[in-house]
């Protein structure tokens, strides 16, 4: 069975929100063809107008919005700067509501979740969107159970993902649901992306969270990242920052909202997650991240993520 997948395009759409998932489905078809099998997907870009201009300036040719009643497997709404204007378009909202009623599943990438929520499709459902718009989303749609951390979320036949490249992770998950893990992993290898990042993984990282406009402690953070395996004290960090420990603690807390030692632990936990996702033993993760002992790692990991390192490894390793 060939599954029809409709990508809703609009002016100022984020191009990668469309092309990322689109390539996943196209690559799945390519792998099936190599195996002598028919294509599984019939992806199509649809829009109110025949040409839409993405936020990057690249124009897309689109087919007309399909009429109600025509068969469709999946409707996918990408995000982009134009989504707010789309949320005011009653014609598009009506179309989406009608298509969602007949589709096997509905998905969004990034801020595309705003349109799903505007159409009432996410009421009472768990959902995800780009971390930068989570606070706004919660205020506008209090009936949606927004989860600000995951890469993607599935609630029944509704799938929503975090920002931009997370759309590739979501599409890989859809392929796995349809065609099995082997094909999904084959697509991931062909695209040279992560084997498969499960939705429960975080869209945040300590390094990303620490980026700010001032860059005052960038050099210190770089040194910390390069020396995670070594014992690091507050005095060591103060020496690198050319400050006294007390001065560093005061200025660092004002700049980042946390203590230097808290940042060090977050960096080490990021390293642990990366190693566990590779299938590395917990003892090795403890040593290479600077926690030293498995017990110290277990306590910090459970305090931060609510699960043991071993349970995380079993769930998320490839």
């Amino acid at each position: 069975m060939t599954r029809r997948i409709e990508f809703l395009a609009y002016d100022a759409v984020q191009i990668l929100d469309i092309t990322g998932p689109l390539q996943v489905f196209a690559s799945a078809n390519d792998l099936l063809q190599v195996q002598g099998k028919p294509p599984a997907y019939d992806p199509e870009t649809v829009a109110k107008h025949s040409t839409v201009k993405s936020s990057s300036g690249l124009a897309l040719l689109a087919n007309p919005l399909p009429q109600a009643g025509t068969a469709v497997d999946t409707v996918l709404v990408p995000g982009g700067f134009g989504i707010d204007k789309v949320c005011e378009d009653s014609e598009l909202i009506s179309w989406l509501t009608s298509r969602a009623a007949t589709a096997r599943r509905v998905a969004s990438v990034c801020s595309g979740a705003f349109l799903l929520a505007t159409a009432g499709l996410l009421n009472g459902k768990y959902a995800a969107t780009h971390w930068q718009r989570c606070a706004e989303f919660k205020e506008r749609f209090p009936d949606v159970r927004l989860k600000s951390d995951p890469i993607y979320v599935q609630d029944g036949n509704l799938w929503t993902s975090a920002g931009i490249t997370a759309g590739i992770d979501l599409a890989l998950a859809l392929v796995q649901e349809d065609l099995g893990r082997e094909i999904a992993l084959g697509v991931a290898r062909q695209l040279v992306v992560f084997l498969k990042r499960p939705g429960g993984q975080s869209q945040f990282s300590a390094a990303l969270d620490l980026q700010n406009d001032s860059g005052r402690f960038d050099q210190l953070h770089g040194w910390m990242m390069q020396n995670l395996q070594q014992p690091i004290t507050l005095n060591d960090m103060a020496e690198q920052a050319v400050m006294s420990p007390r001065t560093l603690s005061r200025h660092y807390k004002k700049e980042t909202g946390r203590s230097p030692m808290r940042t060090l632990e977050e960096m080490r936990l990021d390293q642990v997650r990366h190693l566990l996702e590779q299938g590395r033993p917990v003892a090795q993760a403890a040593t290479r991240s600077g926690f030293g002992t498995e017990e110290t790692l277990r306590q910090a990991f459970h305090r931060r993520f609510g699960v043991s390192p071993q349970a995380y490894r079993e769930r998320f390793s490839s």
Side-chain angles (χ1 to χ4, degrees):
M1 181 183 68
T2 303
R3 302 164 176 84
R4 177 182 172 84
I5 301 181
E6 294 172 355
F7 291 81
L8 177 62
Y10 51 87
D11 284 333
V13 69
Q14 165 65 247
I15 190 69
L16 193 56
D17 284 10
I18 294 180
T19 57
L22 182 62
Q23 187 58 57
V24 169
F25 297 124
S27 293
N29 283 344
D30 291 341
L31 289 180
L32 292 173
Q33 183 179 20
V34 170
Q35 298 175 7
K37 300 177 181 178
Y41 299 107
D42 176 24
E44 184 175 22
T45 302
V46 300
K48 286 182 63 175
H49 307 290
S50 60
T51 303
V52 297
K53 188 175 182 180
S54 69
S55 59
S56 65
L58 183 65
L60 298 172
L61 295 179
N63 294 307
L65 297 176
Q67 295 181 350
T70 55
V72 60
D73 180 86
T74 303
V75 176
L76 190 148
V77 179
F81 292 116
I83 196 66
D84 292 329
K85 186 175 181 179
V86 172
C87 287
E88 299 173 357
D89 190 324
S90 59
E91 181 181 349
L92 274 179
I93 294 173
S94 177
W95 176 85
L96 177 60
T97 303
S98 175
R99 293 307 271 166
T102 57
R104 180 170 67 93
R105 63 190 173 197
V106 178
S108 68
V109 180
C110 195
S111 57
F114 278 76
L115 183 59
L116 298 190
T118 300
L121 299 176
L122 297 181
N123 288 345
K125 303 290 187 179
Y126 289 102
T129 191
H130 194 288
W131 65 269
Q132 285 184 317
R133 301 196 66 177
C134 281
E136 176 191 356
F137 190 98
K138 290 179 179 179
E139 183 176 351
R140 288 176 57 179
F141 307 108
D143 292 334
V144 180
R145 300 177 178 180
L146 186 71
K147 302 180 75 173
S148 58
D149 199 41
I151 293 176
Y152 62 83
V153 171
Q154 178 190 7
D155 192 334
N157 72 331
L158 292 167
W159 296 69
T160 52
S161 74
I164 311 176
T165 58
I168 296 175
D169 298 285
L170 181 144
L172 285 170
L174 297 181
V175 169
Q176 177 167 323
E177 181 184 60
D178 296 338
L179 307 177
R181 180 176 174 83
E182 182 179 351
I183 294 294
L185 295 185
V187 172
R189 292 188 182 101
Q190 186 182 78
L191 299 182
V192 198
V193 297
F194 284 109
L195 206 55
K196 180 180 176 293
R197 294 189 298 176
Q201 284 184 310
S202 176
Q203 60 173 302
F204 299 109
S205 70
L208 178 64
D209 191 41
L210 287 168
Q211 294 183 27
N212 57 41
D213 293 336
S214 75
R216 182 177 184 182
F217 294 105
D218 285 355
Q219 185 174 352
L220 173 61
H221 293 153
W223 176 83
M224 292 164 66
M225 290 293 293
Q226 293 174 3
N227 293 275
L228 287 180
Q229 191 171 349
Q230 306 301 322
I232 298 177
T233 66
L234 179 60
N235 286 338
D236 295 329
M237 288 186 273
E239 182 178 346
Q240 289 296 320
V242 195
M243 299 179 182
S244 70
R246 184 175 179 180
T247 300
L248 171 63
S249 295
R250 183 175 70 254
H251 287 286
Y252 193 90
K253 180 68 176 293
K254 182 179 180 180
E255 183 81 16
T256 68
R258 66 178 71 171
S259 71
M261 296 304 292
R262 169 69 183 280
T263 291
L264 177 63
E265 182 177 88
E266 290 291 330
M267 288 182 172
R268 284 176 166 161
L269 288 172
D270 268 0
Q271 174 80 333
V272 169
R273 289 196 305 176
H274 179 66
L275 293 169
L276 296 178
E277 288 157 12
Q278 294 178 341
R280 303 296 178 85
V282 175
Q284 185 181 115
T287 300
R288 293 184 59 178
S289 63
F291 278 104
T293 68
E294 291 186 53
E295 181 59 30
T296 302
L297 167 58
R298 274 194 290 268
Q299 291 178 6
F301 200 90
H302 193 279
R303 182 170 61 248
R304 175 64 176 84
F305 301 112
V307 297
S308 69
Q310 185 62 36
Y312 186 94
R313 178 178 180 271
E314 291 172 355
R315 181 179 180 187
F316 292 132
S317 68
S318 57

